[in-house]
Amino acid sequence: MSTGVAGAGVSESNKGSWTAFLKSIASFNGDLSSLTAPPFILSSTSLVEFSAYWAEHPSIFVAPASEQDPQKRALLVLKWFLSTLKQQYASRSDKYGNEKKPLNPFLGELYLGKWIDAAGTTELVSEQVSHHPPATAYHISNDQHGVILEGYNAQKASFSSTINVKQIGHAVYRLPAFNENYLITLPSLHIEGLIYGAPFVELNGSTYITSSSGYTAKIDYSGQGWVSGKKNSFAATMYRTGKAKDILYTISGRWSKSFEIRAGTSKTVVDSYNAEATPTTALTLEPIEKQEPWESRRAWSKVAAGIASGDMDLVGSEKSKIENAQRALRLKEQEEDRSWDHRYFSRFEKDSILEELGPRIGLSADVDKTGGIWRFDQKKADASKAAKGNADAARAELV
C-alpha cells in the first residue's frame, strides 16, 4: 500500500524504470496502449480475458430470469451489473497489489470457457474482432435460465495529470422469455496512485442501463478526494424511463466493498450486497495442450512464462513471434484481397436494439472506433464447435 510518498510502492531496484515510464507517459502524444510498461507492472493476462469479469457470479447473473415482476427484474439486472464492477476494475489490484498493464490481444484471439455451479453451465466466448482499432466482442449465455449477455468494447487512453481511459462500446443483457433487452453503457476510468507506484482503477462519470420494459438506471461514480472522499464510491437511481425524478430505488456504497438498495428516496433498505464476502466461481478452461493455437492462454503461454520469471528477453522474443506472424497474415490477406474471417461474431452497420434504446440514454454506435457493431453469430459458433470437435477426434486417434 502507498504511504503517500512518491514512488513508495516501487522497490528500489525498479524506481529508475518507473520514473522513466512516468516521464514517457507525460510526454507521449498518441494512444498510451502502445507504450511499453516496466516489467514489474506487466500482466501475463490478455485484454481478451477481461470479458469473463461480467459473469464470475453466475447465480447473480441469471437471477433476473426467475423474477416475474418487471420492475424487480430490472432492479436485479442493475444489482448484477454493480456486482461485476469489483471483478472488472479492482480484482487485479486485490490479487497483485496494483493494477497491471494487460497484453494487447491479436486479431482473432479467443478466450473460451464455462462456469459450472448451482446456476448450471454458463458459457463464455470472447474474441478479438478488430485490431485497428482494437476491439473485443463477447457472448455469455446460460441456456438453463435463458439469459444472454453480448457486447463489445474498445479503449482509448490518454494522459492529463493521470492516465484516463474512455471505454467505447456497450453491452446488451437479454431475457428472451420476457422479450426484454437491457442496453448497458460502459464507465470511463482513470488510474490513481501512479506517482506512488501503486496504480489502481477509479471509475468516473456516469453509466446507464435502459430496458425495453420501460425502466432506466443511472449510476454516478465518484472516488477518493471527490464527492464522498471514499475510494470506489457510487450512487445509482432507477426510475421509469422518461421520469427520472420519480425514483423507484436508490443504491449507494462502494462498488469494491458493499452497497445498499433502498426503496425510492427513503431509508428503507430492501436489499444489500457485499462484494468482499461474495465468492466467485472459477472459469473452467480446456487444458492448454487441448486449446487451439488462437486461444489466449496457449498463444501467450511463453510470454506469460517470461513475465513470471522476469526474463524480459524471452518476453520480447515471444511477443515478436506473435506480432510477426500477425503481420504475415495481414499481408497475405491483402495479397489475396480478402479480410479476416471471424470465428464467432459478425459485423453490422445497424442494430435494432441499439436504434430502439440508444436514444433514451444518448448512446450511438461509434463504428469508426470499434470497427463496427459486433454481434454473436450462432452459425459461425456452430461451425467452430464442429471444427473443434473434428480436430479433437483426430488428435485422439493419434494418441
Side-chain angles (χ1 to χ4, degrees):
M1 181 178 289
S2 166
T3 63
V5 178
V10 182
S11 66
E12 287 299 324
S13 61
N14 288 322
K15 281 188 177 179
S17 61
W18 182 248
T19 300
F21 178 58
L22 292 180
K23 289 180 179 178
S24 68
I25 291 174
S27 60
F28 188 75
N29 183 20
D31 187 352
L32 292 176
S33 63
S34 62
L35 272 177
T36 300
F40 72 93
I41 204 168
L42 287 179
S43 170
S44 59
T45 301
S46 169
L47 200 59
V48 80
E49 293 193 24
F50 284 26
S51 304
Y53 293 135
W54 283 108
E56 292 195 332
H57 300 109
S59 294
I60 303 175
F61 174 65
V62 304
S66 299
E67 176 56 61
Q68 297 303 307
D69 182 275
Q71 180 174 306
K72 293 179 180 178
R73 204 158 50 238
L75 177 62
L76 287 173
V77 172
L78 173 57
K79 180 183 177 181
W80 156 75
F81 171 78
L82 294 172
S83 77
T84 72
L85 297 179
K86 175 179 169 60
Q87 295 309 115
Q88 297 205 58
Y89 303 110
S91 60
R92 295 173 299 281
S93 294
D94 290 347
K95 183 176 181 180
Y96 301 113
N98 57 54
E99 187 65 30
K100 300 282 188 178
K101 183 183 185 297
L103 297 167
N104 294 326
F106 55 83
L107 182 61
E109 184 176 335
L110 300 171
Y111 191 54
L112 312 173
K114 299 177 180 179
W115 294 275
I116 302 172
D117 63 3
T121 299
T122 306
E123 296 193 44
L124 165 71
V125 174
S126 182
E127 179 177 359
Q128 190 70 6
V129 291
S130 177
H131 189 62
H132 295 295
T136 306
Y138 48 87
H139 181 270
I140 301 173
S141 60
N142 184 301
D143 291 342
Q144 178 180 332
H145 292 272
V147 177
I148 301 166
L149 176 78
E150 64 177 324
Y152 60 92
N153 63 281
Q155 296 84 26
K156 186 68 176 179
S158 61
F159 184 85
S160 177
S161 300
T162 187
I163 296 176
N164 299 287
V165 180
K166 180 182 180 182
Q167 297 200 90
I168 307 162
H170 62 270
V172 177
Y173 182 99
R174 295 168 50 204
L175 293 169
F178 297 104
N179 194 29
E180 282 182 359
N181 299 308
Y182 295 78
L183 181 63
I184 303 166
T185 63
L186 310 176
S188 294
L189 57 97
H190 61 276
I191 306 299
E192 294 279 5
L194 268 180
I195 193 171
Y196 308 119
F200 64 90
V201 170
E202 189 64 87
L203 304 182
N204 52 265
S206 303
T207 58
Y208 293 86
I209 303 173
T210 191
S211 72
S212 57
S213 58
Y215 297 93
T216 296
K218 181 186 180 186
I219 306 104
D220 295 313
Y221 304 96
S222 57
Q224 204 163 18
W226 292 6
V227 177
S228 70
K230 292 185 177 180
K231 180 180 175 182
N232 306 150
S233 297
F234 77 93
T237 57
M238 194 184 101
Y239 48 88
R240 290 183 177 84
T241 303
K243 298 181 179 180
K245 293 183 178 180
D246 297 332
I247 297 172
L248 300 172
Y249 299 101
T250 57
I251 308 179
S252 61
R254 300 170 65 187
W255 49 262
S256 59
K257 300 290 184 180
S258 63
F259 57 80
E260 293 182 333
I261 304 173
R262 292 177 169 82
T265 56
S266 72
K267 294 183 179 181
T268 304
V269 176
V270 296
D271 198 0
S272 62
Y273 178 74
N274 188 325
E276 294 183 304
T278 306
T280 60
T281 297
L283 184 69
T284 300
L285 305 172
E286 288 270 24
I288 286 182
E289 64 272 14
K290 290 186 178 182
Q291 291 182 15
E292 297 180 73
W294 297 99
E295 292 190 58
S296 186
R297 293 287 176 90
R298 178 174 173 180
W300 293 106
S301 59
K302 293 181 180 179
V303 172
I307 291 174
S309 64
D311 187 343
M312 300 316 293
D313 289 335
L314 176 62
V315 171
S317 173
E318 292 301 325
K319 283 185 69 177
S320 292
K321 289 179 183 178
I322 293 173
E323 291 163 357
N324 290 336
Q326 285 292 300
R327 291 190 190 99
L329 281 172
R330 301 293 83 77
L331 181 60
K332 184 178 181 181
E333 290 164 3
Q334 188 175 7
E335 291 172 347
E336 297 175 356
D337 192 26
R338 61 181 179 85
S339 58
W340 174 254
D341 291 328
H342 299 93
R343 293 283 298 275
Y344 291 91
F345 296 86
S346 290
R347 180 183 183 277
F348 296 90
E349 293 293 336
K350 295 182 178 181
D351 178 75
S352 59
I353 295 175
L354 191 59
E355 289 180 348
E356 176 194 356
L357 300 179
R360 302 179 185 180
I361 51 177
L363 180 65
S364 59
D366 291 325
V367 294
D368 58 322
K369 298 176 182 177
T370 59
I373 297 172
W374 299 95
R375 292 292 183 254
F376 186 70
D377 190 318
Q378 189 62 56
K379 289 184 178 179
K380 287 184 177 180
D382 291 342
S384 293
K385 186 175 291 187
K388 191 176 190 310
N390 292 336
D392 289 345
R395 190 185 300 116
E397 291 179 359
L398 296 175
V399 175

